[in-house]
Amino acid sequence: MTTSTASQSSASAPLLDLQALVVAVRRRRRLWASLALLGLLAGAAVAVLLPPPPAAVTKVLVAHKDDQPNDTGTLIRTDVELLDTTRIAAEALRALGSREDPEDFMQDYRGTGLTNNLLRIDVTGDSDADAVARAKALAETFVADHVRRMREAAEAESESLLDQRDRMRKELAEVNRSIGDRSPDDEPKASASIESLFARRAELDSRIAEFDQRAAEALTGTPEVVAGTKIVDAPHAVRHSMPRAVVTNAGIGLALGLVLGLALAAVGAVVADRPVLRREIAANLGASVLAELRRGPRRSALPWQRRRTRAARERLTTTLARIVRGSAEPVSLLELGCARGTGLIALDVAAALEADGPVAVVDALPGTDLAGARRKSGGPTVLSGERADAEPHHVRRLGVGSVAPGTAWTDLHRLGGRTVLVVRAGHGSAAWLHTVARQLADQRIAVIGVVLIDPDPRDRTDGTLWDGPHAAPRGHDERPKRHNGTGRLRAERTPMPAATVPDSDQEAR
């Protein structure tokens, strides 16, 4: 692993790699698909198990004396708040002959201002008939209360105007009395005072007539308000469709579950920091990806999918067998997150090498029994770590071990001085991949390359390190050369794409 590559990759790495995030979220589709399905089922269950109570609705046209075309809805909002009072609720309950607490009844209805003069009242009840009766009583109570308030306001305004008119009349009577007390033989100096009295009398006459007119107008406008306030939509029960409610609630639950699942998957992917892309795994391990192997097909897989998987396994076996044959020292396969698959790969490679001479597989995998697998299917000799030391030196050995957490790093030398890492994509965190690369470097175990298990099928990133470690394998035609005169050796070789298994016929073509 070269320092320059690591430093450059860390310096140019973005704060949030959207491509890696999308791939990580897509790989965790079981999580968000399960949450989406759970939300769908929960929404449907809520619609079935918790149906809405019987409800009724009515609409009331509310006329106001101070209606203005540019009103922003202040008057209708006032009516909504007046509807939601204990006085209206108590009068409606009194009309129904019910002893229910008004505050409890207020929880069963709601007023909504549709326009500046249209009020909708939604009421729930024990049954459709009860809900309709409640809506009717509530609407009639509100209309009666509104009409009464408008009349009281008009009468109060009219009485105020008439009181002012009566005060003006008293003042006018005093002015007339003052004018009558004056005689025609008074001094000329008093003529100016008489003129002012006549002017005051004319003014009082005008204001008295004005107050009479305003008082009449105040009472005249009340019938229009009374006639304009009425129930325009008779109370009726709200029909509830169970299939529609199930579909609606299920859709809402599906959307919420999907959003929650995607959010959890994204947050989990960022927090866990488990590399999935080839380029990330290669950069963190400091070794190129030699080959890929998709997850084995299920029993329900189609025949051509099984054939593609078998072909990929054969190509991988051929690649690893060629690497082992060209190595002057023992080679090991070290797994991370795929112990069983690595054991099977080792048995296939050993079987391919048996044509060149005796081969022994040194099994150091935790929790697996390669000897048992060999006895069932036949194959090369499988030895444990203790028995491998007594094996003759002319027998080719292929070590199989693990670099999972808890690994005894000092025991890996017994498996081989060179290794191929078999890593499951998205299994180990970036910190642990760095730990594996550092520990292998400390043990002076050369990493030949990486075999990626279960990669993302849409991953198009390059997993080749062009400035990789000088201990990387070289072909027969490769020559080391000086790199920019720094004395560091660098292999000139043609990059080989990783062996992949196509996902579909289109990709195969």
Side-chain angles (χ1 to χ4, degrees):
M1 188 168 59
T2 59
T3 307
S4 61
T5 304
S7 61
Q8 290 175 4
S9 62
S10 62
S12 61
L15 181 62
L16 181 63
D17 192 344
L18 293 180
Q19 182 182 6
L21 179 61
V22 170
V23 171
V25 170
R26 187 169 60 242
R27 287 177 64 88
R28 304 186 68 181
R29 55 184 174 270
R30 288 186 179 180
L31 172 63
W32 49 262
S34 300
L35 288 179
L37 179 60
L38 182 62
L40 185 144
L41 296 177
V46 168
V48 174
L49 300 178
L50 299 176
V57 64
T58 184
K59 294 179 182 178
V60 179
L61 181 63
V62 185
H64 303 95
K65 184 179 179 181
D66 300 328
D67 274 338
Q68 298 293 334
N70 58 353
D71 182 32
T72 59
T74 304
L75 298 176
I76 197 66
R77 286 197 297 269
T78 302
D79 294 331
V80 170
E81 295 301 325
L82 288 174
L83 178 67
D84 192 18
T85 56
T86 54
R87 182 168 61 88
I88 299 295
E91 292 180 2
L93 290 174
R94 192 178 301 111
L96 291 170
S98 174
R99 297 182 179 180
E100 185 180 357
D101 187 21
E103 295 182 356
D104 295 337
F105 180 52
M106 290 168 55
Q107 305 297 326
D108 296 338
Y109 69 85
R110 181 182 70 257
T112 305
L114 302 179
T115 63
N116 291 345
N117 298 99
L118 192 60
L119 175 65
R120 187 184 67 190
I121 303 175
D122 299 281
V123 188
T124 59
D126 297 334
S127 62
D128 290 342
D130 181 55
V132 170
R134 286 185 164 198
K136 181 179 179 181
L138 196 59
E140 292 176 349
T141 300
F142 176 80
V143 170
D145 179 79
H146 182 77
V147 169
R148 184 175 63 253
R149 286 187 292 105
M150 293 297 103
R151 284 177 175 174
E152 291 176 354
E155 291 175 358
E157 183 181 0
S158 178
E159 290 179 1
S160 176
L161 294 173
L162 293 177
D163 290 341
Q164 295 185 31
R165 182 203 62 183
D166 293 340
R167 288 196 298 270
M168 294 295 177
R169 284 181 176 178
K170 291 180 180 180
E171 186 177 355
L172 179 60
E174 294 178 357
V175 171
N176 289 332
R177 190 179 305 111
S178 298
I179 293 174
D181 292 341
R182 299 296 179 91
S183 62
D185 297 334
D186 287 342
E187 297 180 358
K189 296 180 179 180
S191 59
S193 176
I194 294 175
E195 290 179 1
S196 63
L197 290 175
F198 278 108
R200 178 59 178 170
R201 183 174 68 177
E203 180 183 0
L204 291 175
D205 287 335
S206 175
R207 297 189 62 182
I208 289 171
E210 179 184 357
F211 281 124
D212 285 335
Q213 182 180 359
R214 291 174 59 186
E217 290 177 353
L219 294 176
T220 302
T222 304
E224 298 179 359
V225 175
V226 172
T229 302
K230 57 185 176 181
I231 300 175
V232 294
D233 189 6
H236 58 277
V238 178
R239 300 302 175 188
H240 173 68
S241 176
M242 179 63 70
R244 181 181 299 177
V246 170
V247 172
T248 302
N249 290 1
I252 295 174
L254 175 65
L256 293 179
L258 182 60
V259 171
L260 179 61
L262 291 176
L264 290 178
V267 172
V270 173
V271 173
D273 191 16
R274 299 179 182 273
V276 177
L277 300 179
R278 285 194 297 263
R279 67 183 181 197
E280 294 182 343
I281 295 176
N284 288 321
L285 289 175
S288 299
V289 176
L290 301 178
E292 289 181 345
L293 187 62
R294 303 286 168 84
R295 182 182 299 177
R298 301 176 181 177
R299 296 180 179 178
S300 59
L302 298 176
W304 58 82
Q305 294 177 340
R306 298 194 187 97
R307 288 196 297 269
R308 286 203 301 265
T309 303
R310 285 195 298 268
R313 292 186 67 90
E314 292 174 359
R315 289 195 299 269
L316 175 61
T317 301
T318 303
T319 301
L320 295 180
R322 184 171 59 249
I323 291 174
V324 174
R325 289 191 186 100
S327 177
E329 54 183 323
V331 178
S332 64
L333 300 179
L334 300 180
E335 66 84 22
L336 180 61
C338 48
R340 182 177 178 275
T342 304
L344 297 178
I345 293 173
L347 292 177
D348 293 340
V349 174
L353 293 173
E354 280 187 327
D356 301 335
V359 180
V361 178
V362 181
D363 180 17
L365 288 173
T368 59
D369 186 8
L370 293 184
R374 185 199 64 80
R375 285 192 297 268
K376 293 178 182 178
S377 59
T381 304
V382 178
L383 304 174
S384 61
E386 295 78 7
R387 296 176 55 191
D389 296 335
E391 191 71 14
H393 293 286
H394 68 277
V395 177
R396 188 190 300 272
R397 292 191 302 175
L398 178 64
V400 186
S402 175
V403 289
T407 298
W409 302 103
T410 55
D411 294 341
L412 296 180
H413 264 298
R414 302 171 60 185
L415 301 178
R418 309 182 74 186
T419 185
V420 174
L421 296 176
V422 184
V423 181
R424 181 181 177 184
H427 179 76
S429 63
W432 184 251
L433 295 181
H434 280 286
T435 300
V436 170
R438 185 177 66 253
Q439 290 291 345
L440 293 178
D442 292 343
Q443 297 298 323
R444 298 186 181 277
I445 299 176
V447 180
I448 301 175
V450 179
V451 175
L452 195 60
I453 303 297
D454 190 22
D456 185 78
R458 300 182 183 179
D459 184 9
R460 299 295 182 267
T461 59
D462 188 8
T464 303
L465 294 182
W466 302 105
D467 194 16
H470 61 272
R474 298 187 180 93
H476 298 290
D477 58 344
E478 293 173 342
R479 292 183 179 179
K481 73 168 188 176
R482 300 290 180 181
H483 181 57
N484 295 334
T486 59
R488 183 159 56 95
L489 296 179
R490 181 175 178 179
E492 290 182 339
R493 58 190 178 92
T494 304
M496 298 180 62
T500 59
V501 180
D503 280 344
S504 61
D505 295 339
Q506 182 178 359
E507 186 176 349
R509 290 193 295 271

